[in-house]
Amino acid sequence: RKVTKTKSVFPSDASLEKMLYLAPQDEILNQMKELILKYVVGKNDSLDIDADIAKAFPNLKFETYPGLNSKEGKSLVKQKYGFIVLDELHRTGAEEWEKHVDKLLENQDENVKVLGITATQTRDVDSRNMADETALKLGYSEEDVKNGKHIAKELDLQTAIQLGIVVNPKIISFI
């Protein structure tokens, strides 16, 4: 996965700073909520996961990229954040919601922290490198992008498997 960043990746006071976590699907948001519940809140189960997460992060909002086109989503786009996560960054270039993501980024102060996470920064449908494009939108120079200064961490699949971050797949059979 490639991680794009601004000057400082993590919020200075994570519990108080206004944060927005975006992903293409609710399933990804729900998975992230479960991870926050387990590793930050310290619970394995919850009757109200959103309320439990709000105790740890009262200013954290979750939304899908398609949801940015809804009434609530349009309201989120107009707000200012201290920290924005763009999960599945390569999906931000989709025709259906790219303009909403762009508007969100345009509305931010220059000191906003943005973390883009993706397994493949280049979109397969149009070969656009969304890590580079997002970095340029955030004010990185062409030279900085060329030199990879917007990349916080690059981790290939083999290394991720070796580190135990990704489970090594078991091949059952070949056809």
Side-chain angles (χ1 to χ4, degrees), residues 27-143:
E27 292 82 6
I28 295 171
L29 296 179
N30 292 335
Q31 181 183 35
M32 183 52 58
K33 288 178 181 182
E34 289 172 11
L35 291 169
I36 291 170
L37 183 72
K38 182 175 181 178
Y39 293 107
V40 177
V41 177
K43 290 183 169 183
N44 288 322
D45 233 344
S46 174
L47 294 175
D48 189 346
I49 194 168
D50 291 322
D52 285 334
I53 290 172
K55 290 175 189 171
F57 298 105
N59 295 315
L60 173 60
K61 300 285 185 204
F62 292 91
E63 186 57 80
T64 61
Y65 296 127
L68 293 176
N69 195 32
S70 70
K71 184 178 179 181
E72 182 182 342
K74 288 178 181 178
S75 170
L76 291 174
V77 166
K78 294 176 184 176
Q79 296 178 38
K80 299 216 181 283
Y81 300 92
F83 188 55
I84 300 172
V85 176
L86 302 173
D87 202 342
E88 298 290 331
L89 179 68
H90 62 282
R91 305 274 303 271
T92 60
E95 183 179 327
E96 300 86 354
W97 54 72
E98 181 178 23
K99 64 183 175 196
H100 302 295
V101 174
D102 287 350
K103 189 69 175 161
L104 169 71
L105 295 176
E106 288 169 15
N107 287 339
Q108 302 309 307
D109 294 330
E110 71 175 40
N111 59 348
V112 64
K113 298 160 193 80
V114 177
L115 177 65
I117 307 168
T118 186
T120 172
Q121 71 275 12
T122 303
R123 292 169 42 84
D124 59 352
V125 296
D126 54 17
S127 299
R128 292 170 55 200
N129 183 318
M130 295 312 298
D132 291 354
E133 285 190 29
T134 303
L136 292 169
K137 291 172 187 176
L138 291 169
Y140 279 85
S141 70
E142 292 274 351
E143 184 73 17

